[in-house]
């Protein structure tokens, strides 16, 4: 008889939305309080945070817009100024938002951000950096540039780390001091890292419940919980959020309540690439009826996976080590490093199959997906599929293509089990 | 002139055969340099032959087992050619992995599936302010030089690099001269032939290409042409990293347009900016050329100069009436710039048309209609 699978929803994650709403509300009202506002791409917002600036985070804003259902209207506004559909949807989302504000095109109020005093351009993704340049051209907004290369070979890491540290010391800090009119606040940076360290440590305990069989929660639950370990870093409210979550997971585990009713998952899936922020419900509904749960992925594991390495006494080095230290994530974005990282996750979370979420408008996480699957399949004997869609652009999401490929993946796993 | 153009036509009609034969003829190692910023001079100074990797000549088949179809033409065809074994004459390949995200595909795919004797990556940073960028760039080039030396077995001296720079600079001057002549009498040559001339420079040993160009220039200088003042002058902009389908250029000319100059990669961008002050520190001089902000390249993240302003300058210099933006499909550095480019041209009442060019599918009829409409608008019909 067919099992009717259903997700057991967590209570603790209900409290993330108010935290996230408050974060964006504080950003929206910052100018009224006389605070400086920054917009940041790439993982560079920690530095303006240290200076007390209210700062947006490009991917975080996109996920927020996806969550509140505002993405589509912003993308349409972008189209009106000639943005082409192949362009990064995060880029289009921002140019659409600015266009809507400048031209009074009606959009969701919560999606309107104050124009920034500074664009902090962390060129981690080369394409995300282009939106800063566009706003300089359009609005003359000052840019603080920071080149953050992916590490393609381990031997390059020391010199890239040195290069990034040098940029932080010679460009980032002096520019922020100039814009804010005060010395760089190293003490505040240490505080932020200290809170982050505590938050990420509890989060890591929660991760252990993704490794249990059956799983106690899912990747989607973690995805909506990511803000405290990324763009809300330094906000102490993230600590009780994760404490509460951990408590619920421990309770579930103790009482035999799995993430998936009635008795746990059939397939344990690795998810590669961005989270489909505007379509979380849709994707959950695609996996759940088959008894599949997504449990881990490179992108969500980017967020300070190794809190022990955070040293608040060495704040600048810690901030840079996140990307370029011994466990630095900048290596995982180059395809060869991806093989290593995904392999670790496959082992740690007892994965049955891989889904590579290939965003048509973003190639950041797509690099060499098919070769990565091939290499991992040979090593671990598990299958993988690529599904093509987008993080927020509904025009790029084809249900039938995704359904067919997921069905093929599940059948493939079944076949190997026999 | 016809004879020289026929020779160039032969080379560019089948670059695979030409480069493979070149290897046999010279006995030198061939190093494929992915467009647009790999400093070929260093490869040349190592006694090897740099060739710029080109957009392939077939529909992509095997390549799509490695890269998604929503990557640009040169990315997909290069991988397709490489995994099919069509590039086996290349002893080595060099990639600038921070040029765009797609360029990041190459190292793993090539390493796993092609395994050339030599593969190198360059990080070449964007042109941001500060000494850290300059120093990182310089280190990148020094490491590249060392790596080339190790592979070629030849210690590359400053004198070697200076000599190579001289040869490359001469090539830039010669191509520049051809463009000057075309600017004076644009009827002298078809746009596709100009593109082939630049492409030949990307494929041939520069010494050979220099001789060929000298011969061509001498013929072009002497050749008289009948002016065709009714033709509408336009400037082509973009076409990053790859050649444009030649038929598109033909259609433009058939419709009464004439192209006295361009801002294309397989065009004026390739030979822009000679390397200067290179006698004392040639590597630094190569770095300084890379750091030039014009012609503006959107992959280098320059924001204080506007690409559209530069294009307008070029348009005025050539007494042209409009601009055609040639956007390679799935080229994010260009597409992210496009709305700003378009708006500046609109503010200046300059007729502009954007055409997206794909490797495989081009609907010539609809393109022709759009170009015809544009021609009528520019011509004031």
């Amino acid at each position: 008889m067919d099992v009717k699978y259903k997700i057991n929803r967590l209570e603790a994650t209900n409290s993330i939305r108010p935290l996230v709403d408050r974060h964006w509300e504080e950003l929206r009202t910052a100018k009224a309080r006389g605070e400086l506002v920054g917009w940041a791409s790439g993982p560079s917002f920690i530095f303006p945070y240290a200076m007390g600036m209210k700062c947006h985070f490009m991917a975080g804003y996109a996920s927020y817009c996806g969550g509140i259902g505002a993405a589509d209207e912003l993308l349409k506004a972008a189209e009106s100024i000639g943005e082409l559909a192949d362009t990064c949807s995060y880029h289009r989302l921002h140019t659409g938002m600015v266009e809507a504000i400048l031209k009074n095109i009606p959009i969701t109020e919560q999606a309107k951000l104050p124009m920034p005093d500074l664009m902090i351009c962390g060129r981690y993704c080369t394409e995300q950096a282009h939106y800063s340049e566009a706003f300089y051209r359009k609005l003359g907004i000052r840019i603080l540039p920071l080149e953050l290369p992916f590490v393609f070979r381990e031997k390059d890491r020391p010199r890239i780390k040195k290069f990034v540290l040098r940029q932080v010391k010679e460009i980032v800090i002096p520019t922020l001091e100039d814009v804010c009119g005060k010395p760089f606040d190293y003490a505040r940076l240490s505080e932020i890292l200290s809170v982050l360290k505590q938050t990420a440590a509890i989060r890591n305990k929660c991760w252990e419940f993704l490794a249990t069989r059956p799983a106690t929660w899912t990747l989607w639950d973690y995805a909506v919980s990511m803000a405290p370990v990324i763009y809300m870093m330094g906000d102490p409210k993230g600590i009780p959020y994760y404490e509460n979550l951990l408590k619920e997971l421990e309770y579930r585990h103790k009482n035999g309540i799995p993430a998936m009713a009635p008795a746990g998952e059939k397939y344990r899936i690795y998810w590669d690439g961005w989270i489909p922020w505007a379509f979380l419900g849709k994707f959950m509904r695609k996996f759940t009826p088959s008894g599949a749960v997504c449990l881990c992925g490179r992108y969500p594991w980017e967020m300070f996976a190794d809190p022990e390495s955070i040293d608040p006494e060495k704040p600048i080095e810690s901030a840079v080590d996140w990307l370029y230290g011994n466990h630095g994530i900048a290596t995982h974005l180059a395809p060869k490093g991806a093989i290593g990282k995904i392999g670790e996750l496959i082992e740690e979370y007892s994965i049955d199959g891989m889904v590579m979420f290939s965003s048509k408008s973003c190639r950041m996480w797509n690099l060499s997906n098919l070769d990565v699957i091939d290499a991992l399949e040979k090593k671990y004997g598990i299958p993988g599929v690529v599904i093509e869609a987008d993080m927020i652009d509904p025009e790029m999401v084809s249900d039938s293509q995704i359904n067919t490929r997921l069905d093929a993946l599940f059948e493939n796993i079944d076949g190997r089990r026999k | 002139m016809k004879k020289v153009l026929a020779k160039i036509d032969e080379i560019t009609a089948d670059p695979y055969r030409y480069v493979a034969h070149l290897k046999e003829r010279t006995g030198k190692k061939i190093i494929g340099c992915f467009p647009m910023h790999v400093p070929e001079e260093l490869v040349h100074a190592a006694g090897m032959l740099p060739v710029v990797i080109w957009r392939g000549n077939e529909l992509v088949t095997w390549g799509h087992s490695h890269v998604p179809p929503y990557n640009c033409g040169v990315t997909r065809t290069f991988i397709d050619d490489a995994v099919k074994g069509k590039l086996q004459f290349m002893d080595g390949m060099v990639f600038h992995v921070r040029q765009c995200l797609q360029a990041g595909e190459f190292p793993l795919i090539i390493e796993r599936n092609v395994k050339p004797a030599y593969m190198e990556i360059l990080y070449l940073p964007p042109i941001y302010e500060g000494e850290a960028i300059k120093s990182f760039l310089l280190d990148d080039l020094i490491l590249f030089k060392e790596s080339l030396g190790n592979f070629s077995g030849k210690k590359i001296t400053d004198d070697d690099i200076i000599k190579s720079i001289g040869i490359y600079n001469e090539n830039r001057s010669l191509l520049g001269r051809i463009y000057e002549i075309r600017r004076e009498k644009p009827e002298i040559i078809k746009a596709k032939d100009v593109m082939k001339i630049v492409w030949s420079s990307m494929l041939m040993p520069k010494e050979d290409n220099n001789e060929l160009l000298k011969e061509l220039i001498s013929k072009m200088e002497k050749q008289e042409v009948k002016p065709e003042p009714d033709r509408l002058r336009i400037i082509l902009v973009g076409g990053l990293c790859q050649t444009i389908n030649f038929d598109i250029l033909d259609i433009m000319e058939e419709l009464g347009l004439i192209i006295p100059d361009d801002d294309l990669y397989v065009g004026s961008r390739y030979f822009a900016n000679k390397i200067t002050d290179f006698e004392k520190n040639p590597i630094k001089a190569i770095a300084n050329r890379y750091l030039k902000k014009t012609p503006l390249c959107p992959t280098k993240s320059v924001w204080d100069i506007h690409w559209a302003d530069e294009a307008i300058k070029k348009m005025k210099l050539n007494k042209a009436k409009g601009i055609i933006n040639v956007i390679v499909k799935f080229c994010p550095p260009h597409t992210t710039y496009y709305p700003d480019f378009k708006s500046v041209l609109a503010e200046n009442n300059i007729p502009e048309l954007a055409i997206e060019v794909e490797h495989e599918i081009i609907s010539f009829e609809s393109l022709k209609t759009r170009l015809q409409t544009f021609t009528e608008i520019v011509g004031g019909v």
Side-chain angles (χ1 to χ4, degrees), chain A residues 123 153 159 358 368 371, chain B residues 66 70 98 105 120 140:
Chain A
R123 192 176 179 263
R153 298 175 299 205
R159 83 178 179 102
S358 178
S368 313
D371 276 75
Chain B
H66 301 275
Y70 33 93
R98 291 293 285 169
E105 304 264 16
E120 190 51 87
D140 229 23

Side-chain angles (χ1 to χ4, degrees), chain A residues 86 360 363, chain B residues 69-73 76 102 327-333 335 356-358:
Chain A
D86 305 329
K360 285 187 181 175
R363 290 139 196 99
Chain B
Y70 33 93
N71 276 6
C72 70
R76 291 181 297 115
Q102 292 169 68
I327 301 173
V328 170
K329 183 90 174 152
F330 306 116
C331 175
T335 63
E356 277 194 294
V357 292
E358 276 197 81

Side-chain angles (χ1 to χ4, degrees), chain A residues 86-87 123-124 127 130 133 136-137 147 150 152-153 156 159 336 358 363 367-368 371 374 388, chain B residues 66 70 98 101 105 111-113 120-121 123 126 128 131 140 298-299 301 303 329 332 335 337 340:
Chain A
D86 305 329
T87 300
R123 192 176 179 263
Y124 196 43
E127 291 171 20
H130 296 315
E133 298 151 23
Y136 176 88
R137 290 190 295 265
E147 167 70 344
F150 304 163
F152 279 79
R153 298 175 299 205
D156 298 326
R159 83 178 179 102
K336 206 169 171 180
S358 178
R363 290 139 196 99
L367 302 188
S368 313
D371 276 75
D374 185 50
E388 295 159 9
Chain B
H66 301 275
Y70 33 93
R98 291 293 285 169
L101 289 174
E105 304 264 16
E111 192 177 277
R112 291 190 81 227
N113 303 285
E120 190 51 87
I121 63 166
Y123 288 94
Y128 291 166
E131 289 305 310
D140 229 23
T299 66
S301 286
W303 60 80
K329 183 90 174 152
T335 63
Y337 213 117
D340 290 342

Side-chain angles (χ1 to χ4, degrees), chain B residues 72-123:
Chain B
C72 70
V74 70
T75 293
R76 291 181 297 115
T77 59
F78 162 63
I79 291 294
D80 194 54
D81 282 350
V83 298
K84 282 174 179 166
K86 285 174 72 181
L87 303 178
Q88 279 181 346
F89 48 79
M90 286 188 187
D91 299 281
M93 297 172 180
V94 185
F95 309 114
H96 170 202
V97 290
R98 291 293 285 169
Q99 176 166 283
C100 68
L101 289 174
Q102 292 169 68
E105 304 264 16
F106 303 130
L108 181 75
I109 297 173
I110 296 299
E111 192 177 277
R112 291 190 81 227
N113 303 285
V114 185
K115 301 181 177 64
Y118 175 77
M119 188 185 86
E120 190 51 87
I121 63 166
L122 299 173
Y123 288 94

Side-chain angles (χ1 to χ4, degrees), chain A residues 1-270:
Chain A
M1 203 175 85
D2 283 348
V3 180
K4 286 199 173 167
Y5 292 101
K6 194 181 160 216
I7 289 289
N8 282 321
R9 291 188 180 274
L10 286 165
E11 291 283 327
T13 49
N14 290 336
S15 58
I16 195 70
R17 181 66 186 264
L19 289 180
V20 168
D21 280 342
R22 192 188 56 121
H23 173 87
W24 293 102
E25 169 69 17
E26 283 184 1
L27 178 62
R28 284 195 298 273
T29 54
K31 290 227 163 167
R33 294 189 301 276
E35 293 173 325
L36 289 169
V37 168
W39 287 8
S41 56
S44 55
F45 46 83
I46 190 168
F47 301 110
Y49 279 1
M51 294 298 272
M53 287 178 80
K54 286 286 179 290
C55 193
H56 117 309
F57 170 47
M58 191 185 193
Y61 172 74
S63 67
Y64 182 61
C65 287
I68 61 175
D72 203 19
E73 60 197 29
L74 300 185
L75 294 174
K76 284 200 167 66
E79 204 179 328
S80 73
I81 52 167
E83 290 285 10
L84 301 171
D86 305 329
T87 300
C88 164
S89 54
Y90 285 5
H91 177 101
R92 284 183 284 140
L93 190 84
H94 284 77
T95 56
M97 181 251 289
V98 169
E99 185 65 10
I101 291 170
L102 294 178
K103 300 263 175 71
N104 283 321
I105 299 169
I107 55 169
T108 305
E109 279 302 310
Q110 286 164 289
K112 290 181 184 170
L113 296 184
M115 291 302 108
D117 300 291
L118 184 68
M119 303 284 306
I120 302 98
C121 174
R123 192 176 179 263
Y124 196 43
C125 164
T126 54
E127 291 171 20
Q128 282 189 2
H130 296 315
Y131 95 125
S132 306
E133 298 151 23
F135 291 134
Y136 176 88
R137 290 190 295 265
K138 193 184 270 288
L139 304 166
I141 296 164
R142 184 171 175 180
I143 297 177
L144 192 181
L146 174 62
E147 167 70 344
L148 299 167
F150 304 163
V151 179
F152 279 79
R153 298 175 299 205
E154 187 55 27
K155 70 174 183 182
D156 298 326
R157 194 157 55 88
R159 83 178 179 102
I160 293 178
K161 181 179 168 183
K162 200 171 136 195
F163 163 55
V164 172
L165 264 173
R166 195 171 163 193
Q167 289 180 86
V168 171
K169 288 173 183 167
E170 294 177 6
I171 303 288
V172 175
I173 290 174
T175 305
L176 286 168
E177 288 178 335
D178 184 43
V179 170
C180 299
K182 62 181 184 183
F184 189 76
D185 195 339
Y186 291 93
R188 176 63 192 138
L189 185 60
S190 295
E191 277 171 24
I192 292 169
L193 286 165
S194 180
V195 171
L196 176 66
K197 185 174 176 131
Q198 292 174 63
T199 315
I202 307 166
R203 184 274 321 269
N204 282 18
K205 285 184 186 162
C206 295
W207 275 353
E208 291 171 15
F209 294 97
L210 289 165
T212 57
R213 254 185 196 278
T216 315
W217 61 317
T218 73
L219 178 70
W220 310 125
D221 297 320
Y222 171 48
V224 300
S225 305
M226 270 167 32
V229 282
I230 182 75
Y231 64 76
M232 282 173 59
M233 63 171 60
D235 185 337
K237 289 192 173 59
I239 297 174
Y241 174 80
Y242 269 107
E243 282 173 341
N244 197 28
L245 177 60
L246 180 61
K247 207 180 286 177
E248 188 175 353
L249 295 174
E250 285 169 339
Y251 174 82
R252 276 187 170 200
H253 189 59
K254 197 175 161 190
N255 292 282
I257 304 168
M260 183 163 283
E265 69 277 359
K266 186 176 176 190
Y267 309 110
R268 298 170 66 86
I269 304 297
Y270 166 83

